[in-house]
Amino acid sequence: MDEKILKFKKLVEASDNIVFFGGAGVSTESGIPDFRSKDGLYNQKYDYPPEEILSHTFFVRKTEEFYKFYRDKLNSLKYEPNITHIKLAELEKSGKLKAVITQNIDGLHQKAGSRNVFELHGSVLRNYCAKCGRFYGAEAVFEGSGVPKCECGGLIKPDVVLYEEPLNNDVVEKSIAAIAAADLMIVAGTSLTVYPASGLINYFRGKNLVLINRDATPYDGAADLVINESLGKVFAEI
């Protein structure tokens, strides 16, 4: 076993208050594309840049175009959790992992069995009528066509945080509390360049900060352990 992975395994075994903070790289091994890699959504060609399509302004002004992209690229119902999701759920069940904080909107952590999941950017699994507030599951959007409408006639909007929209304060506060209380923080599959989510790492005051990512991040120098390896390889040893 790789020396760094062995050290990581020992840190996990010695900790009983772990918090996990993950980004798009957690789900790429399930087949879900990330955003910023060379094959990611932001490097694919559309009539509009994906960053623009996934903005509040675009959603309001070009709603039908938004839903074409949304259905085509953000439907996570066909994907399954990978070894990282599964191992995290097992760690939570054992009592060692107290919270999963994720930038992902795919719902795969819950599908794997995790219960205490803080979704910073919302979830494609939840949708609400902008007029009456009625809840709709993911199928109501992904299995339909055109602009989804509620029975009351209102527009159905995914419960995801678009560009220009603020993060949910309650989710942020709970995430901060979990990070501040942890003795081991595992940050994985994220470039740590998306603010304000990336700033949450600054609330960690525990013993060990571990960063697992294929590429370097701005926080590598502050970490106690940096592993530049695939998450699947690392978590398969836990």
Side-chain angles (χ1 to χ4, degrees):
M1 187 186 303
D2 181 274
E3 184 178 334
K4 286 190 173 183
I5 297 178
L6 179 59
K7 182 179 179 180
F8 175 58
K9 180 179 171 68
K10 288 180 178 179
L11 287 176
V12 170
E13 291 172 348
S15 303
D16 58 9
N17 193 332
I18 304 170
V19 65
F20 178 88
F21 179 93
V26 177
S27 293
T28 52
E29 289 178 33
S30 289
I32 296 178
D34 65 6
F35 288 83
R36 289 172 175 77
S37 71
K38 63 181 178 66
D39 297 317
L41 289 182
Y42 289 173
N43 288 312
Q44 296 181 28
K45 303 300 180 184
Y46 298 96
D47 292 339
Y48 304 91
E51 303 99 308
E52 181 181 347
I53 298 173
L54 295 174
S55 70
H56 179 81
T57 297
F58 193 92
F59 175 79
V60 172
R61 294 179 179 175
K62 299 181 181 294
T63 310
E64 191 163 356
E65 287 291 325
F66 169 89
Y67 274 106
K68 284 181 181 178
F69 178 88
Y70 185 82
R71 289 191 179 98
D72 185 36
K73 294 300 180 183
L74 298 181
N75 185 355
S76 63
L77 297 181
K78 56 188 176 183
Y79 298 101
E80 295 297 326
N82 59 55
I83 187 66
T84 302
H85 297 108
I86 293 168
K87 289 293 184 176
L88 289 169
E90 291 176 357
L91 284 173
E92 182 187 59
K93 190 173 182 180
S94 73
K96 297 176 77 67
L97 180 69
K98 304 304 182 184
V100 168
I101 302 165
T102 181
Q103 294 172 283
N104 297 335
I105 59 175
D106 51 49
L108 291 183
H109 284 294
Q110 291 92 330
K111 200 170 185 178
S114 290
R115 295 290 174 261
N116 200 33
V117 181
F118 301 133
E119 297 169 310
L120 293 172
H121 297 149
S123 172
V124 300
L125 303 184
R126 299 186 301 269
N127 304 272
Y128 296 94
C129 172
K131 184 177 180 181
C132 72
R134 179 176 175 176
F135 172 84
Y136 286 88
E139 291 81 4
V141 173
F142 290 124
E143 294 179 5
S145 60
V147 177
K149 294 291 184 70
C150 175
E151 291 181 2
C152 77
L155 173 66
I156 296 175
K157 182 183 183 297
D159 187 20
V160 298
V161 179
L162 302 175
Y163 287 102
E164 305 167 345
E165 294 180 345
L167 301 185
N168 181 287
N169 281 334
D170 184 56
V171 173
V172 171
E173 288 175 4
K174 288 178 178 177
S175 298
I176 290 173
I179 291 170
D183 59 8
L184 169 62
M185 183 174 184
I186 305 167
V187 180
T190 172
S191 61
L192 290 173
T193 58
V194 179
Y195 190 82
S198 62
L200 294 178
I201 196 173
N202 295 317
Y203 290 93
F204 180 63
R205 297 291 183 269
K207 295 178 182 178
N208 295 289
L209 173 64
V210 178
L211 299 186
I212 308 170
N213 199 50
R214 284 191 177 275
D215 303 312
T217 79
Y219 287 84
D220 285 4
D224 299 284
L225 177 63
V226 176
I227 304 176
N228 297 124
E229 185 56 85
S230 73
L231 271 65
K233 181 177 178 179
V234 176
F235 276 87
E237 301 294 342
I238 301 303

